[in-house]
Amino acid sequence: MGTIKYKGTLKSFKDKKILCKPILWSNTNKLLQTNSNVVGIKTGITPKAGGCLATQFMIDDEDYGFILVLGCSSTEARFKDTQTIMNYIN
């Protein structure tokens, strides 16, 4: 699967007028594209925390799990580590 891309409109206000600008953005959470149980949440990277990923996923029809990985050595590692934890839980 490729990166999921979205189109939208950014609305802003200037001098009492509404300005509309078309925008395009991509989802960087690769697990949303490869695992149908992943609901999503947030990706990120900071100098101190390294690669981070907060993930919500479905365990079954009624239960959800949450995983937070911090300090990953690379962008890819945060997805791999999260998938490893999900596999262990399921």
Side-chain angles (χ1 to χ4, degrees), residues 6-89:
Y6 301 92
K7 291 181 182 180
T9 303
L10 176 64
K11 294 182 180 181
S12 60
F13 301 92
K14 185 176 181 182
D15 299 325
K16 298 183 181 180
K17 295 181 182 178
I18 298 174
L19 305 174
C20 297
K21 178 181 176 183
I23 58 172
L24 177 66
W25 71 95
S26 301
N27 189 319
T28 60
N29 187 337
K30 294 180 179 184
L31 293 176
L32 285 171
Q33 302 164 39
T34 60
N35 188 322
S36 62
N37 290 334
V38 172
V39 177
I41 296 196
K42 181 72 179 120
T43 61
I45 189 165
T46 68
K48 285 188 177 182
C52 305
L53 179 59
T55 303
Q56 179 185 15
F57 65 101
M58 295 182 297
I59 295 172
D60 55 38
D61 290 339
E62 297 178 4
D63 298 309
Y64 288 88
F66 294 90
I67 298 171
L68 178 62
V69 294
L70 303 170
C72 294
S73 59
S74 69
T75 300
E76 290 300 318
R78 63 186 174 183
F79 299 112
K80 182 180 177 187
D81 291 351
T82 299
Q83 185 64 60
T84 299
I85 296 167
M86 280 193 295
N87 292 344
Y88 179 78
I89 292 170

